[in-house]
Coordinates of all heavy atoms in Angstrom, one line a residue:
M29 N 22.1 40.3 143.5 CA 20.7 40.2 142.9 C 19.8 39.2 143.7 O 20.2 38.1 143.9 CB 20.8 39.7 141.4 CG 21.5 40.7 140.6 SD 20.5 42.2 140.4 CE 19.7 41.8 138.8
D30 N 18.7 39.7 144.0 CA 17.8 38.8 144.7 C 16.4 38.8 144.1 O 15.7 39.8 144.2 CB 17.7 39.2 146.2 CG 17.0 38.2 147.0 OD1 16.6 37.1 146.5 OD2 16.8 38.4 148.2
P31 N 16.1 37.8 143.4 CA 14.8 37.8 142.7 C 13.6 37.9 143.6 O 12.5 38.3 143.2 CB 14.9 36.5 141.8 CG 15.8 35.7 142.5 CD 16.8 36.6 143.2
R32 N 13.7 37.4 144.8 CA 12.6 37.5 145.7 C 12.1 38.9 146.0 O 10.9 39.2 146.2 CB 12.9 36.8 147.0 CG 13.0 35.3 146.8 CD 13.3 34.6 148.1 NE 13.7 33.3 147.9 CZ 14.2 32.5 148.9 NH1 14.4 33.0 150.1 NH2 14.5 31.3 148.7
Q33 N 13.0 39.7 146.2 CA 12.7 41.1 146.5 C 11.8 41.7 145.4 O 10.9 42.4 145.7 CB 13.9 41.9 146.6 CG 14.5 42.0 148.0 CD 15.5 43.0 148.1 OE1 16.1 43.4 147.1 NE2 15.8 43.5 149.3
Y34 N 12.1 41.3 144.3 CA 11.4 41.9 143.1 C 9.9 41.5 143.1 O 9.1 42.3 142.9 CB 12.1 41.5 141.8 CG 11.7 42.4 140.7 CD1 12.3 43.6 140.5 CD2 10.7 42.0 139.8 CE1 11.9 44.4 139.5 CE2 10.4 42.8 138.7 CZ 11.0 44.0 138.6 OH 10.6 44.8 137.6
S35 N 9.7 40.2 143.4 CA 8.3 39.7 143.3 C 7.5 40.1 144.5 O 6.3 40.0 144.4 CB 8.3 38.2 143.1 OG 8.9 37.6 144.2
Q36 N 8.0 40.6 145.5 CA 7.2 40.9 146.7 C 6.6 42.3 146.5 O 5.6 42.6 147.2 CB 8.1 41.0 147.9 CG 8.1 39.7 148.7 CD 8.8 39.8 150.0 OE1 9.4 40.9 150.2 NE2 8.7 38.8 150.8
S37 N 7.1 43.1 145.7 CA 6.7 44.5 145.7 C 5.2 44.7 145.4 O 4.6 45.7 145.7 CB 7.5 45.3 144.8 OG 7.3 44.8 143.5
N38 N 4.6 43.7 144.8 CA 3.2 43.9 144.3 C 2.2 43.6 145.3 O 1.1 44.1 145.2 CB 3.0 43.1 143.0 CG 2.3 43.9 142.0 OD1 1.9 45.0 142.3 ND2 2.2 43.4 140.8
S39 N 2.5 42.7 146.2 CA 1.4 42.0 146.9 C 1.2 42.4 148.4 O 0.8 41.7 149.2 CB 1.6 40.5 146.9 OG 2.8 40.2 147.5
S40 N 1.7 43.6 148.7 CA 1.4 44.0 150.1 C 0.9 45.4 150.2 O 1.0 46.2 149.3 CB 2.7 43.9 150.9 OG 3.6 44.8 150.4
R41 N 0.1 45.6 151.2 CA -0.5 46.9 151.6 C -1.1 47.6 150.4 O -0.8 48.7 150.1 CB 0.5 47.8 152.3 CG 1.6 48.3 151.3 CD 2.0 49.7 151.7 NE 2.8 49.8 152.9 CZ 3.4 50.9 153.4 NH1 3.2 52.0 152.7 NH2 4.0 50.9 154.5
N42 N -2.0 46.9 149.7 CA -2.7 47.6 148.7 C -4.1 47.9 149.0 O -4.6 49.0 148.9 CB -2.6 46.8 147.4 CG -2.7 47.7 146.2 OD1 -2.9 48.9 146.3 ND2 -2.5 47.1 145.0
E43 N -4.8 46.9 149.5 CA -6.2 47.1 149.7 C -6.7 46.5 151.0 O -7.5 45.7 151.1 CB -7.0 46.4 148.6 CG -6.4 45.1 148.2 CD -7.2 44.5 147.0 OE1 -8.3 44.9 146.8 OE2 -6.6 43.7 146.3
D44 N -6.0 47.0 152.1 CA -6.5 46.6 153.4 C -6.7 47.7 154.3 O -6.7 47.6 155.5 CB -5.5 45.6 154.0 CG -4.1 46.3 154.2 OD1 -3.9 47.3 153.6 OD2 -3.3 45.8 154.9
S45 N -7.0 48.8 153.8 CA -7.3 50.0 154.6 C -8.7 50.3 154.7 O -9.6 49.5 154.4 CB -6.5 51.2 154.1 OG -6.9 51.5 152.8
D46 N -9.1 51.5 155.1 CA -10.5 51.8 155.4 C -11.4 51.7 154.3 O -11.1 51.8 153.1 CB -10.5 53.2 156.0 CG -9.9 54.2 155.1 OD1 -9.9 53.9 153.8 OD2 -9.5 55.3 155.5
G47 N -12.7 51.5 154.6 CA -13.8 51.6 153.6 C -14.0 50.4 152.9 O -13.2 50.0 152.0
E48 N -15.1 49.7 153.2 CA -15.4 48.6 152.4 C -16.3 49.1 151.2 O -17.4 49.4 151.4 CB -16.2 47.5 153.2 CG -15.4 47.0 154.3 CD -16.2 46.0 155.1 OE1 -17.3 45.8 154.7 OE2 -15.7 45.4 156.1
Q49 N -15.7 49.1 150.1 CA -16.5 49.6 149.0 C -17.3 48.6 148.3 O -18.3 48.8 147.7 CB -15.6 50.3 148.0 CG -15.0 51.6 148.6 CD -14.5 52.5 147.5 OE1 -14.4 52.1 146.4 NE2 -14.2 53.7 147.8
Y50 N -16.9 47.4 148.4 CA -17.6 46.3 147.8 C -18.4 45.5 148.8 O -17.9 44.8 149.6 CB -16.7 45.4 147.1 CG -17.4 44.3 146.3 CD1 -17.9 44.6 145.0 CD2 -17.5 43.0 146.8 CE1 -18.6 43.7 144.3 CE2 -18.2 42.1 146.1 CZ -18.7 42.4 144.8 OH -19.4 41.5 144.1
T51 N -19.7 45.7 148.7 CA -20.6 44.9 149.6 C -21.3 43.8 148.8 O -21.7 44.1 147.7 CB -21.6 45.8 150.3 OG1 -22.2 46.6 149.3 CG2 -21.0 46.6 151.3
P52 N -21.4 42.6 149.3 CA -22.0 41.5 148.5 C -23.4 41.8 148.2 O -23.9 41.5 147.2 CB -21.8 40.3 149.4 CG -21.4 40.9 150.8 CD -20.8 42.2 150.6
R53 N -24.1 42.4 149.2 CA -25.5 42.7 148.9 C -25.7 44.2 149.0 O -25.3 44.8 150.1 CB -26.4 42.1 149.9 CG -26.5 40.6 149.8 CD -27.5 40.1 150.7 NE -27.5 38.6 150.7 CZ -28.3 37.9 151.5 NH1 -29.0 38.5 152.5 NH2 -28.3 36.6 151.5
T54 N -26.2 44.8 148.1 CA -26.5 46.2 148.2 C -27.9 46.4 148.8 O -28.9 46.0 148.3 CB -26.5 46.9 146.8 OG1 -27.3 46.1 145.9 CG2 -25.1 47.0 146.3
P55 N -27.9 47.0 150.0 CA -29.2 47.2 150.7 C -30.1 48.1 149.9 O -31.3 47.9 149.9 CB -28.8 47.9 152.0 CG -27.4 48.4 151.8 CD -26.8 47.6 150.7
R56 N -29.6 49.1 149.4 CA -30.5 50.0 148.6 C -29.8 50.3 147.3 O -28.6 50.7 147.2 CB -30.8 51.3 149.3 CG -29.6 52.0 149.8 CD -29.9 53.2 150.5 NE -28.7 53.8 151.1 CZ -28.7 55.0 151.6 NH1 -29.7 55.8 151.6 NH2 -27.6 55.5 152.2
R57 N -30.6 50.2 146.2 CA -30.0 50.6 145.0 C -31.0 51.5 144.2 O -32.2 51.3 144.3 CB -29.7 49.4 144.2 CG -30.9 48.5 143.9 CD -30.5 47.3 143.1 NE -31.7 46.4 143.0 CZ -31.7 45.3 142.4 NH1 -30.5 44.8 142.0 NH2 -32.8 44.6 142.3
T58 N -30.4 52.3 143.5 CA -31.3 53.2 142.7 C -31.9 52.4 141.5 O -31.1 51.8 140.8 CB -30.6 54.4 142.2 OG1 -29.4 54.0 141.6 CG2 -30.2 55.3 143.3
P59 N -33.2 52.5 141.3 CA -33.7 51.8 140.2 C -33.2 52.5 138.9 O -33.4 53.7 138.7 CB -35.2 52.0 140.4 CG -35.4 53.2 141.3 CD -34.1 53.2 142.1
M60 N -32.6 51.7 138.1 CA -32.0 52.3 137.0 C -32.1 51.3 135.8 O -32.1 50.1 136.0 CB -30.5 52.4 137.3 CG -29.9 53.6 136.7 SD -28.2 53.8 137.3 CE -27.4 53.8 135.7
A61 N -32.3 51.9 134.7 CA -32.4 51.0 133.5 C -31.1 51.1 132.7 O -30.4 52.2 132.7 CB -33.5 51.5 132.6
C62 N -30.7 50.0 132.1 CA -29.5 50.0 131.3 C -29.7 50.8 130.1 O -30.9 51.2 129.7 CB -29.1 48.6 131.0 SG -30.1 47.8 129.9
T63 N -28.7 51.1 129.4 CA -28.8 51.9 128.2 C -29.7 51.3 127.1 O -30.5 52.1 126.5 CB -27.4 52.1 127.6 OG1 -26.8 50.9 127.3 CG2 -26.5 52.9 128.5
F64 N -29.7 50.1 127.0 CA -30.6 49.4 126.0 C -32.0 49.6 126.4 O -32.9 50.0 125.6 CB -30.2 48.0 125.9 CG -31.1 47.2 124.9 CD1 -30.9 47.4 123.6 CD2 -32.1 46.4 125.4 CE1 -31.7 46.7 122.7 CE2 -32.9 45.8 124.5 CZ -32.7 45.9 123.2
C65 N -32.4 49.2 127.6 CA -33.7 49.4 128.1 C -34.2 50.8 128.1 O -35.3 51.1 127.8 CB -33.9 48.8 129.5 SG -33.6 47.0 129.5
R66 N -33.3 51.7 128.4 CA -33.7 53.1 128.4 C -34.0 53.6 127.0 O -35.0 54.3 126.8 CB -32.6 53.9 129.1 CG -33.2 55.2 129.5 CD -32.1 56.1 130.1 NE -31.3 55.3 131.1 CZ -30.1 55.6 131.4 NH1 -29.4 56.5 130.7 NH2 -29.5 54.9 132.4
G67 N -33.2 53.1 126.1 CA -33.4 53.6 124.8 C -34.7 53.0 124.2 O -35.3 53.6 123.4
R68 N -35.0 51.8 124.6 CA -36.2 51.2 124.0 C -37.4 51.3 124.9 O -38.4 50.7 124.7 CB -35.9 49.7 123.8 CG -34.7 49.5 122.9 CD -35.0 48.6 121.8 NE -34.0 48.6 120.8 CZ -34.0 47.9 119.7 NH1 -35.0 47.1 119.5 NH2 -33.1 47.9 118.9
K69 N -37.2 52.0 126.0 CA -38.3 52.1 127.0 C -38.8 50.8 127.5 O -40.0 50.5 127.6 CB -39.4 53.0 126.4 CG -38.9 54.3 125.9 CD -39.8 55.4 126.3 CE -39.2 56.7 125.9 NZ -40.2 57.7 125.5
L70 N -37.9 49.9 127.8 CA -38.3 48.6 128.3 C -38.1 48.6 129.8 O -37.4 49.5 130.3 CB -37.4 47.5 127.7 CG -37.5 47.4 126.2 CD1 -36.4 46.4 125.7 CD2 -38.8 46.8 125.8
K71 N -38.7 47.7 130.4 CA -38.5 47.6 131.9 C -37.3 46.8 132.2 O -37.2 45.6 131.8 CB -39.8 46.9 132.5 CG -39.7 47.0 134.0 CD -41.0 46.6 134.6 CE -40.9 46.8 136.1 NZ -42.2 46.5 136.7
C72 N -36.4 47.5 132.8 CA -35.1 46.8 133.1 C -35.2 46.2 134.5 O -35.7 46.9 135.4 CB -34.0 47.9 133.1 SG -32.4 47.2 133.2
D73 N -34.7 45.1 134.7 CA -34.7 44.5 136.0 C -33.5 44.9 136.9 O -33.4 44.5 138.0 CB -34.9 43.0 135.9 CG -33.8 42.3 135.1 OD1 -32.7 43.0 134.8 OD2 -33.9 41.2 134.7
G74 N -32.6 45.6 136.3 CA -31.5 46.2 137.1 C -30.4 45.2 137.4 O -29.6 45.5 138.2
R75 N -30.4 44.1 136.8 CA -29.3 43.2 137.1 C -28.1 43.6 136.3 O -28.2 44.4 135.4 CB -29.7 41.8 136.6 CG -30.8 41.2 137.4 CD -31.1 39.8 137.0 NE -32.3 39.3 137.6 CZ -32.7 38.0 137.5 NH1 -32.0 37.2 136.7 NH2 -33.7 37.6 138.2
P76 N -27.0 43.0 136.7 CA -25.7 43.4 136.0 C -25.8 43.1 134.5 O -25.3 43.9 133.7 CB -24.7 42.4 136.6 CG -25.2 42.2 138.0 CD -26.7 42.2 137.9
I77 N -26.5 42.0 134.2 CA -26.9 41.8 132.8 C -28.4 41.6 132.9 O -28.8 40.5 133.3 CB -26.2 40.6 132.1 CG1 -24.7 40.9 132.1 CG2 -26.8 40.4 130.7 CD1 -23.9 39.7 131.5
C78 N -29.1 42.6 132.4 CA -30.6 42.5 132.7 C -31.2 41.5 131.7 O -30.6 41.0 130.8 CB -31.2 43.9 132.5 SG -31.3 44.4 130.8
G79 N -32.5 41.2 132.0 CA -33.2 40.2 131.2 C -33.3 40.5 129.8 O -33.1 39.6 128.9
N80 N -33.5 41.7 129.5 CA -33.6 42.1 128.0 C -32.3 42.0 127.3 O -32.3 41.5 126.2 CB -34.1 43.5 128.0 CG -35.5 43.7 128.5 OD1 -36.4 42.9 128.2 ND2 -35.7 44.7 129.3
C81 N -31.3 42.4 127.9 CA -30.0 42.2 127.2 C -29.6 40.8 127.2 O -29.0 40.3 126.2 CB -28.9 43.1 128.0 SG -29.2 44.8 127.8
N82 N -29.9 40.1 128.2 CA -29.5 38.7 128.3 C -30.2 37.9 127.2 O -29.5 37.0 126.6 CB -29.9 38.2 129.7 CG -29.2 36.8 130.0 OD1 -28.3 36.5 129.4 ND2 -29.8 36.1 130.9
R83 N -31.4 38.2 127.0 CA -32.1 37.4 125.9 C -31.5 37.7 124.6 O -31.4 36.8 123.7 CB -33.5 37.9 125.9 CG -34.4 37.0 126.6 CD -35.8 37.4 126.3 NE -36.7 37.0 127.4 CZ -38.0 37.4 127.5 NH1 -38.5 38.3 126.5 NH2 -38.8 37.0 128.4
R84 N -31.1 38.9 124.4 CA -30.6 39.3 123.1 C -29.1 39.1 123.0 O -28.5 39.3 121.9 CB -30.9 40.8 122.8 CG -32.4 41.0 122.7 CD -32.6 42.5 122.7 NE -34.0 42.8 122.4 CZ -35.0 42.7 123.3 NH1 -34.8 42.2 124.5 NH2 -36.2 43.0 122.9
G85 N -28.5 38.7 124.1 CA -27.1 38.5 124.0 C -26.3 39.8 123.9 O -25.2 39.8 123.4
L86 N -26.8 40.8 124.5 CA -26.2 42.1 124.4 C -25.3 42.4 125.6 O -25.5 41.7 126.7 CB -27.2 43.3 124.3 CG -28.1 43.2 123.1 CD1 -29.2 44.2 123.2 CD2 -27.3 43.5 121.8
A87 N -24.4 43.2 125.5 CA -23.6 43.6 126.6 C -24.4 44.7 127.4 O -24.6 45.8 126.8 CB -22.3 44.2 126.2
C88 N -24.8 44.4 128.6 CA -25.6 45.3 129.3 C -24.8 46.4 129.9 O -23.8 46.1 130.5 CB -26.4 44.5 130.4 SG -27.7 45.5 131.2
A89 N -25.1 47.6 129.7 CA -24.3 48.7 130.2 C -25.2 49.7 130.9 O -26.3 50.0 130.5 CB -23.6 49.4 129.1
Y90 N -24.6 50.2 132.0 CA -25.3 51.2 132.8 C -24.5 52.5 132.8 O -23.3 52.5 133.1 CB -25.5 50.8 134.2 CG -26.5 49.6 134.4 CD1 -26.1 48.3 134.1 CD2 -27.8 49.9 134.7 CE1 -27.0 47.3 134.2 CE2 -28.7 48.8 134.8 CZ -28.3 47.5 134.5 OH -29.2 46.5 134.6
V91 N -25.2 53.5 132.5 CA -24.5 54.8 132.5 C -24.8 55.5 133.8 O -25.9 55.6 134.3 CB -25.0 55.7 131.3 CG1 -24.4 57.1 131.4 CG2 -24.8 55.0 130.0
P92 N -23.7 55.9 134.5 CA -23.9 56.6 135.7 C -24.7 57.9 135.6 O -24.8 58.5 134.6 CB -22.5 56.9 136.2 CG -21.6 56.4 135.2 CD -22.3 55.7 134.1
V93 N -25.3 58.2 136.7 CA -26.3 59.3 136.7 C -25.6 60.6 136.3 O -26.1 61.5 135.6 CB -27.0 59.5 138.1 CG1 -27.9 60.6 138.0 CG2 -27.7 58.2 138.4
A94 N -24.4 60.7 136.8 CA -23.6 62.0 136.5 C -23.5 62.2 135.0 O -23.5 63.3 134.5 CB -22.3 61.9 137.2
A95 N -23.3 61.1 134.3 CA -23.2 61.2 132.9 C -24.5 61.6 132.2 O -24.5 62.2 131.1 CB -22.6 60.0 132.3
Q96 N -25.6 61.2 132.8 CA -26.9 61.5 132.2 C -27.1 63.0 132.3 O -27.8 63.5 131.4 CB -28.0 60.8 133.0 CG -28.1 59.4 132.6 CD -29.3 58.8 133.4 OE1 -30.4 59.4 133.4 NE2 -29.1 57.7 134.1
M97 N -26.7 63.6 133.3 CA -27.1 65.0 133.5 C -26.4 65.9 132.6 O -26.8 67.1 132.5 CB -26.8 65.3 135.0 CG -27.8 64.6 135.9 SD -27.4 64.9 137.6 CE -27.8 66.6 137.7
Q98 N -25.4 65.5 131.9 CA -24.8 66.4 131.0 C -25.7 66.5 129.7 O -26.0 65.5 129.1 CB -23.5 65.8 130.5 CG -22.5 65.9 131.7 CD -21.1 65.3 131.2 OE1 -21.0 64.8 130.2 NE2 -20.1 65.5 132.0
Q99 N -26.1 67.6 129.5 CA -27.0 67.9 128.4 C -26.2 68.8 127.4 O -25.7 69.8 127.8 CB -28.3 68.5 128.7 CG -29.2 67.5 129.4 CD -30.5 68.1 129.7 OE1 -30.7 69.2 129.6 NE2 -31.5 67.2 130.0
R100 N -26.3 68.4 126.2 CA -25.7 69.3 125.2 C -26.7 70.3 124.8 O -27.9 70.0 124.7 CB -25.3 68.5 123.9 CG -24.3 67.4 124.2 CD -23.9 66.8 122.9 NE -23.0 65.7 123.1 CZ -22.6 64.9 122.1 NH1 -23.0 65.1 120.9 NH2 -21.7 64.0 122.3
S101 N -26.3 71.4 124.6 CA -27.2 72.5 124.2 C -26.8 72.9 122.8 O -25.8 72.7 122.3 CB -27.2 73.6 125.2 OG -25.9 74.1 125.2
Ligands
ZN216 ZN1 -32.0 46.6 131.0
ZN217 ZN1 -29.5 45.6 129.9

């Protein structure tokens, strides 16, 4: 039994391949309002926690565009 072998299995070759998906600055972003602002027709500043939610202490949530396009009939 070698306990070292066991602990190594998690920490190699997971996220060092192609494609940087996380960029520190997003050069272009789609102007989007969070669910709260959209529901209230407020102007959303587009931050991870936008100003309106931040003031109210709400959890700011953004719904992806793909989910918006689903319309129930
Ligand atoms: Zn907002
Ligand atoms: Zn918000």
Side-chain angles (χ1 to χ4, degrees):
M29 293 293 264
D30 192 359
R32 287 182 191 170
Q33 268 190 342
Y34 197 79
S35 63
Q36 263 188 355
S37 64
N38 224 354
S39 65
S40 63
R41 70 144 74 173
N42 207 354
E43 41 187 335
D44 60 344
S45 59
D46 56 23
E48 298 180 359
Q49 289 200 348
Y50 185 79
T51 47
R53 291 182 186 176
T54 48
R56 53 177 171 173
R57 59 182 177 184
T58 50
M60 215 177 124
C62 70
T63 54
F64 178 78
C65 291
R66 198 184 306 153
R68 305 231 169 181
K69 306 220 173 147
L70 296 171
K71 186 166 186 179
C72 189
D73 55 17
R75 294 186 186 184
I77 296 174
C78 75
N80 293 316
C81 290
N82 192 20
R83 265 190 203 171
R84 292 167 174 80
L86 298 172
C88 191
Y90 291 82
V91 178
V93 180
Q96 280 183 48
M97 291 177 65
Q98 291 181 349
Q99 287 186 347
R100 296 184 186 177
S101 60

